[in-house]
Amino acid sequence: MQLSHVCRVTKYDPADRDDYGHYTGVEDVTSDHGEVEAAYLQAVQAFAADTGVDRLSVREPEVSSFVHFGVEPPMDGFGLGPLLPGGIAGFHDGAEVRLDTGLELVRLMLRDSGAWCRLEVEGAFAVHVGWDQYVYIGSSRPCHVALARTRELGLFPERLDASPYDFEPDEDGVLRPGDDAFWDGLHRAVASGRAGLLEEIYVQNASRWHRLTSDTIDTVRAALAPRARLAVWPDLSSDTSAVLDALPADGLVEGVWQDTDGQIHSAIADENVFPELAARIAGAHAAALLPMYADERLPLLSAVMPDSDGVVRARWLAEQALNDSAQGL
């Protein structure tokens, strides 16, 4: 989304930069959880008021994976529980939130909670929180009042041509809707025994897993998160010994297993935690190992769920499938 008026808002005085643009002042890269953090939120609020927006859409939400890269300790549930209905379940692409909730999401991002998203109003407004307390605000209007207010707050707005966090689609992805044709193909693949596991990627770096039968496919479909990305895999194997024998000596894999109570779990592991993963799989009802490297991780089928009117408004793409012609299975 390209907006005509974009600025970078920071607590870093441009006068404290060297000839290469590197900041040399004394400001910390973490949030102070106090006056400066509050100033950021007031600045975002001022730009929203100047633009005339009071609701924001969550776009391309993501959470930290098994590695937490934030400079602050991870927060329980990424701090989303008090903000959104269902916590992370309400943190989906296209979720519309009031401005005050959007400001609290900005606060979580400033604090490196482990949750991140773009907050936007199509064609009118955008807030992107970058590393080290850099906030990028775009508007369809000049926002002179907001710029003045930002300076009054002790922050520094700098004009840019575009936000470095503007969405760019994955070049390796494919535009494929999870429409009736996709689900008809999935029904056939499950009935023939070629498929049996559905990965619902409801937030970037977070998945729910569904073991499918011909009788459960429609129930699973009805409960999927809005705009989720889908990847279809062969069924789990009840021969857990064979699954363990396939565990590599090193590298990165994703283990998926179904406990005896029917619950499906997954974990990304490298050779340092293979023993823990092996112990879980050994006691499971069924399991599988999936590759993690992009050139190897190819599902049988893939798609992105459209909105209720059948239109795909998600901007992220489906993964490349093992055989894209397999959509006709």
Side-chain angles (χ1 to χ4, degrees), residues 297-315:
R297 191 178 175 90
L298 296 172
L300 300 173
L301 309 172
S302 63
V304 176
M305 287 299 292
D307 289 349
S308 58
D309 59 2
V311 178
V312 177
R313 294 187 177 87
R315 297 184 296 206

Side-chain angles (χ1 to χ4, degrees), residues 137-149:
I137 305 175
S139 176
S140 58
R141 302 179 184 178
C143 296
H144 298 302
V145 173
L147 286 166
R149 176 59 178 152

Side-chain angles (χ1 to χ4, degrees), residues 8 10 29 31 40 89 125-126 128 185 189 195 197-198 236 250 269:
R8 180 176 68 184
T10 74
V29 297
S31 174
Y40 273 110
F125 189 70
H128 304 152
L197 190 65
L198 177 69
L236 300 178
D250 54 29

Side-chain angles (χ1 to χ4, degrees), residues 254-267:
E254 182 166 16
V256 184
W257 67 94
Q258 184 176 36
D259 283 343
T260 53
D261 63 1
Q263 295 296 311
I264 300 178
H265 309 271
S266 69

